[in-house]
Amino acid sequence: MVKLSWWKWIFILLMPYVILMGFLVPLGQGITELSPYVVYPLKTNKLDIVGYNTRFTEGQSIRAWLKQGDYHIEADNIIVRDERHASLIFTIPGFPDTSKNDGDLSLVMDTPDGPLVLPSAVNLAAVKYPDSLALISSQKWSTNKLAVRAESNFNFPFRNILGETIRNTYFHVPLWFAMILLFFISVLKSIRYLQKKQIEDDAKAESFVLIGVLFGILGTVTGSIWAKFTWGSFWSFDVKQNMAAISLLIYGGYFIIRNSLQDPDAKARVSGVYNVFAFVLLIPLIFIIPRRYDSLHPGNGGNPALGSQDLDNTMRIVFYPAVIAYMICGIWIAQLRYRIKLIYNNIY
Amino acid sequence: MVREILGLLLKDVKTEWRNKQAISSIALYLFSIILVLYYALVRIDRMIWSGVLWLVLIFLAINTITVSFSRDVKHRHWYFYTLTHPLSVYFSKAVYNLILLLVLDTLAILLLGLFFNIPVVDWPLFLITMFLCTSAISLILTFVSLISAKTGDQPVLMTILSTPLLFPVLMSGSRLCLVSLRLIQDSNYFKDVLSILAINMITFALTVFLFPILWRD
Amino acid sequence: MILLSKLSAVIWMLDVDFLRSTGKIYTVALVALVVWIAVLVYLLRLEKWVKSIEDQIKSK
């Protein structure tokens, strides 16, 4: 066997963990279909739901609420047909807050396996009703804490559009983290070359940029495959997709510069300067501009993607090791490349 | 150093004023483009006016800066450059390109107004956008042209390198242009102005650090 | 009957509801593991080769 550095062993141990956990942990409960979309006050509404990974038949204690803001109203009856199909009967006397008379209601269910939430599930139609009913309606909506049981199994969250593809988070997103790290290391090596003028630093910078671009291309391809199944098409001209493509083009210019210069010292100097220039331009491109525009990517149009909205605690257990594993993989491949490069420069 | 910048700048402006070579050739390009557009499109709707303007601006920018640098005969001008601080070379070139681009941009807008109309509603925002974008483009492209002059394979490198680097300016600038035409209602447009200003400042700071390293021959 | 009519209208996502129970997810995980093991073996062989050449250069 080959004697390896300690950090390469971390990669060897973490990657099977990420793959096995990423694929074998089941998904939590969710609702994939709900009809009809509109509920009317002063009427009996029957909502048919189709669940995912649900077990409606086990255990009789299933409850359901429709929620708007702090107010919620409980279902009168729940008819369970089989493990995944059920009907919920709601009679809604009026609106919780008489000043707002329309809006989306979320569906919250309490099952033996834990809570089940579908945000913006139905739309409450705006209907005029006499003021005498306002008193009755405010009594039926309550603001007590919802009594849901805790999640009993270890599973990944079910998000509506993503479904099972949420597992791709472990394989697509760490590619970008690794790419940023590789570009950062290459900038450090470039600056070191510009200060100390040792040709090894330039070889290191070039290999790290190359492997970073490789990871960037892989990230773009995996991202567009993921987009095809969730957003509908391979390239949606989403801001983050565009920015990723532009950064890859900018680093492509790095290789064009290197190819057009012959003298190794001039090559190293000019491409080192361009490397720093491109990296400093890259940071606002990838991090700041996408936050300014609304985007299809989860976590943009507002907060960064590592908030609690997008990354559940159960996912973090697999996500952070995946990021570390990909980073180490990138550094290992880049290190191998520049060692081979140095060998060829020595021989020829 | 400021005197060096002014000296180099005046030299460039004087040579330009005497034979008007660069500006007239680019103006000719510009005029022929607008003529082709007139024959092909006959009428430009408000909807595509901004796109046409930006296409023309990018074309102008890349051609102007390629021409203005390749005109420097290697032996004669290089002698001047070895006497002066590298940054004064860069800044004189950047300001010269800025003036050239501003003149040509105004000419482009006037010509577009002559053949088609100018549907600009919000003039102050439009003028500020044009000025900031032109200065950002001039700073970035001067830097790229000096890099590519070092390699000797200038036109190819210029076009390939400049296109991705101009994208952030393009995105914010075209968005602001659409806002000033009132095609989109964006109450938060100040963020775009700030981002173009930030690009200007970042490029300025970067070149102050990086350019002297690049220039040592 | 309602059940059958509902089941006939499933979308691709619901086709394999409990992926574990149909056993298909194990295939995917196994394929991913095999691919990763292949990459790892290639990396280790490269390391061995590079090390041997570097030792040769050092000993010269």
Side-chain angles (χ1 to χ4, degrees):
Chain A
M1 225 19 210
V2 184
K3 189 165 185 302
L4 293 173
S5 326
W6 58 275
W7 45 274
K8 295 179 187 169
W9 284 108
I10 299 181
F11 166 67
I12 296 180
L13 293 174
L14 277 183
M15 211 46 203
Y17 165 78
V18 165
I19 292 179
L20 286 175
M21 291 283 282
F23 279 115
L24 295 179
V25 171
L27 241 49
Q29 310 184 70
I31 298 180
T32 51
E33 277 175 32
L34 190 152
S35 64
Y37 180 62
V38 182
V39 292
Y40 297 94
L42 306 177
K43 275 201 174 110
T44 307
N45 300 286
K46 182 161 175 267
L47 298 173
D48 296 319
I49 59 171
V50 179
Y52 189 86
N53 276 357
T54 51
R55 297 182 302 166
F56 288 143
T57 52
E58 300 215 9
Q60 306 309 313
S61 56
I62 300 182
R63 305 166 71 188
W65 294 269
L66 281 176
K67 192 168 181 292
Q68 182 183 57
D70 287 326
Y71 297 96
H72 53 84
I73 186 170
E74 188 165 354
D76 294 332
N77 199 5
I78 299 180
I79 306 171
V80 169
R81 269 190 288 262
D82 65 22
E83 296 205 352
R84 286 168 44 217
H85 299 86
S87 297
L88 315 168
I89 316 274
F90 283 93
T91 23
I92 304 175
F95 304 97
D97 183 0
T98 49
S99 58
K100 288 190 303 188
N101 59 356
D102 63 357
D104 283 345
L105 305 171
S106 309
L107 176 67
V108 178
M109 288 178 66
D110 175 41
T111 63
D113 283 333
L116 213 163
V117 179
L118 184 63
S120 300
V122 290
N123 188 277
L124 188 56
V127 162
K128 281 199 175 41
Y129 57 91
D131 285 331
S132 56
L133 275 181
L135 203 57
I136 307 177
S137 73
S138 64
Q139 283 168 359
K140 201 155 181 219
W141 294 85
S142 76
T143 49
N144 305 328
K145 196 157 159 34
L146 282 174
V148 291
R149 283 160 281 191
E151 190 75 46
S152 55
N153 307 320
F154 180 79
N155 45 30
F156 298 145
F158 179 91
R159 302 251 185 258
N160 256 43
I161 306 175
L162 292 175
E164 291 276 346
T165 62
I166 203 172
R167 301 177 195 277
N168 206 10
T169 323
Y170 306 126
F171 302 105
H172 162 75
V173 181
L175 282 173
W176 296 108
F177 281 83
M179 181 189 90
I180 300 283
L181 178 75
L182 291 172
F183 283 158
F184 182 65
I185 295 179
S186 81
V187 163
L188 290 180
K189 299 294 181 204
S190 280
I191 295 181
R192 203 141 168 261
Y193 172 80
L194 291 172
Q195 286 174 339
K196 296 211 173 105
K197 297 286 192 295
Q198 287 174 341
I199 203 72
E200 286 92 21
D201 287 324
D202 174 61
K204 287 182 195 176
E206 192 259 351
S207 345
F208 277 97
V209 168
L210 184 67
I211 305 301
V213 168
L214 170 71
F215 274 39
I217 295 178
L218 282 177
T220 315
V221 169
T222 52
S224 49
I225 294 177
W226 197 4
K228 173 69 178 164
F229 286 101
T230 50
W231 301 341
S233 60
F234 285 110
W235 195 266
S236 322
F237 292 100
D238 175 57
V239 176
K240 226 172 194 180
Q241 275 183 317
N242 284 337
M243 290 299 124
I246 292 171
S247 3
L248 290 180
L249 287 177
I250 292 183
Y251 273 96
Y254 177 83
F255 292 109
I256 294 182
I257 290 186
R258 287 192 76 94
N259 274 334
S260 54
L261 285 167
Q262 259 62 43
D263 174 31
D265 184 52
K267 181 192 293 203
R269 208 165 18 104
V270 176
S271 60
V273 166
Y274 184 78
N275 193 4
V276 177
F277 187 61
F279 187 74
V280 175
L281 266 189
L282 197 82
I283 302 298
L285 272 191
I286 292 191
F287 292 119
I288 302 185
I289 291 190
R291 284 196 213 176
R292 190 247 178 279
Y293 295 100
D294 294 324
S295 155
L296 287 167
H297 267 91
N300 289 124
N303 322 310
L306 297 182
S308 63
Q309 279 284 327
D310 302 290
L311 207 59
D312 214 351
N313 268 327
T314 56
M315 291 187 73
R316 278 176 219 237
I317 297 183
V318 189
F319 183 68
Y320 291 148
V323 169
I324 297 176
Y326 273 68
M327 283 182 180
I328 295 179
C329 178
I331 299 179
W332 188 0
I333 300 179
Q335 192 208 41
L336 271 178
R337 190 181 184 285
Y338 96 76
R339 278 159 71 188
I340 296 179
K341 206 163 171 226
L342 286 182
I343 290 177
Y344 275 116
N345 287 341
N346 268 336
I347 293 182
Y348 294 120
Chain B
M1 196 170 89
V2 180
R3 267 190 302 153
E4 287 175 350
I5 296 179
L6 282 178
L8 282 173
L9 186 60
L10 277 174
K11 163 190 81 82
D12 275 330
V13 171
K14 272 190 198 157
T15 41
E16 185 58 37
W17 192 248
R18 278 197 202 129
N19 57 7
K20 292 194 186 46
Q21 185 186 350
I23 211 171
S24 57
S25 61
I26 308 276
L28 196 63
Y29 269 151
L30 174 65
F31 190 69
S32 48
I33 280 200
I34 306 262
L35 211 59
V36 166
L37 281 174
Y38 179 66
Y39 280 129
L41 293 170
V42 180
R43 203 179 85 95
I44 290 189
D45 216 0
R46 264 175 75 220
M47 300 288 170
I48 56 174
W49 191 86
S50 171
V52 168
L53 176 69
W54 274 97
L55 270 180
V56 170
L57 284 184
I58 296 295
F59 173 79
L60 272 183
I62 295 185
N63 273 311
T64 314
I65 298 192
T66 314
V67 161
S68 82
F69 202 75
S70 66
R71 250 188 7 165
D72 283 340
V73 178
K74 240 179 162 29
H75 309 289
R76 191 169 40 129
H77 289 221
W78 242 245
Y79 175 64
F80 288 145
Y81 299 154
T82 52
L83 296 175
T84 57
H85 192 269
L87 274 182
S88 42
V89 174
Y90 173 76
F91 282 121
S92 70
K93 282 245 156 281
V95 174
Y96 170 66
N97 283 328
L98 177 65
I99 299 175
L100 209 56
L101 271 182
L102 280 176
V103 168
L104 287 168
D105 281 352
T106 333
L107 193 61
I109 298 178
L110 287 176
L111 275 178
L112 274 182
L114 184 65
F115 280 90
F116 315 99
N117 53 345
I118 305 183
V120 172
V121 173
D122 190 352
W123 277 103
L125 180 64
F126 185 68
L127 291 174
I128 292 180
T129 313
M130 283 296 122
F131 181 72
L132 281 179
C133 290
T134 318
S135 79
I137 292 178
S138 146
L139 281 176
I140 294 180
L141 286 187
T142 317
F143 187 69
V144 172
S145 77
L146 287 167
I147 288 185
S148 59
K150 278 281 173 190
T151 69
D153 187 14
Q154 214 209 346
V156 176
L157 218 61
M158 263 291 295
T159 9
I160 297 182
L161 281 181
S162 52
T163 320
L165 286 172
L166 285 181
F167 267 117
V169 179
L170 263 180
M171 283 188 53
S172 302
S174 54
R175 207 176 157 79
L176 282 174
C177 203
L178 286 177
V179 170
S180 67
L181 259 62
R182 294 287 181 262
L183 278 177
I184 53 177
Q185 295 286 2
D186 189 5
S187 54
N188 206 2
Y189 59 81
F190 200 61
K191 260 195 193 176
D192 280 313
V193 177
L194 275 184
S195 72
I196 301 187
L197 206 58
I199 291 177
N200 272 326
M201 293 195 301
I202 292 177
T203 320
F204 186 86
L206 271 181
T207 46
V208 165
F209 282 125
L210 296 175
F211 194 69
I213 305 172
L214 184 61
W215 200 243
R216 276 188 231 125
D217 220 350
Chain C
M1 272 159 305
I2 307 173
L3 193 64
L4 282 176
S5 65
K6 287 247 185 233
L7 277 179
S8 66
V10 296
I11 53 184
W12 71 272
M13 215 164 55
L14 299 180
D15 220 7
V16 275
D17 191 352
F18 288 92
L19 283 175
R20 242 196 223 175
S21 60
T22 62
K24 288 185 189 169
I25 195 70
Y26 291 124
T27 319
V28 178
L30 204 59
V31 165
L33 265 180
V34 165
V35 166
W36 172 79
I37 288 180
V39 168
L40 187 67
V41 163
Y42 178 66
L43 277 182
L44 288 173
R45 288 192 50 165
L46 256 188
E47 277 271 352
K48 224 192 219 174
W49 180 78
V50 169
K51 251 245 162 81
S52 72
I53 304 274
E54 278 176 350
D55 290 337
Q56 276 183 22
I57 291 183
K58 268 196 216 135
S59 64
K60 271 198 189 151

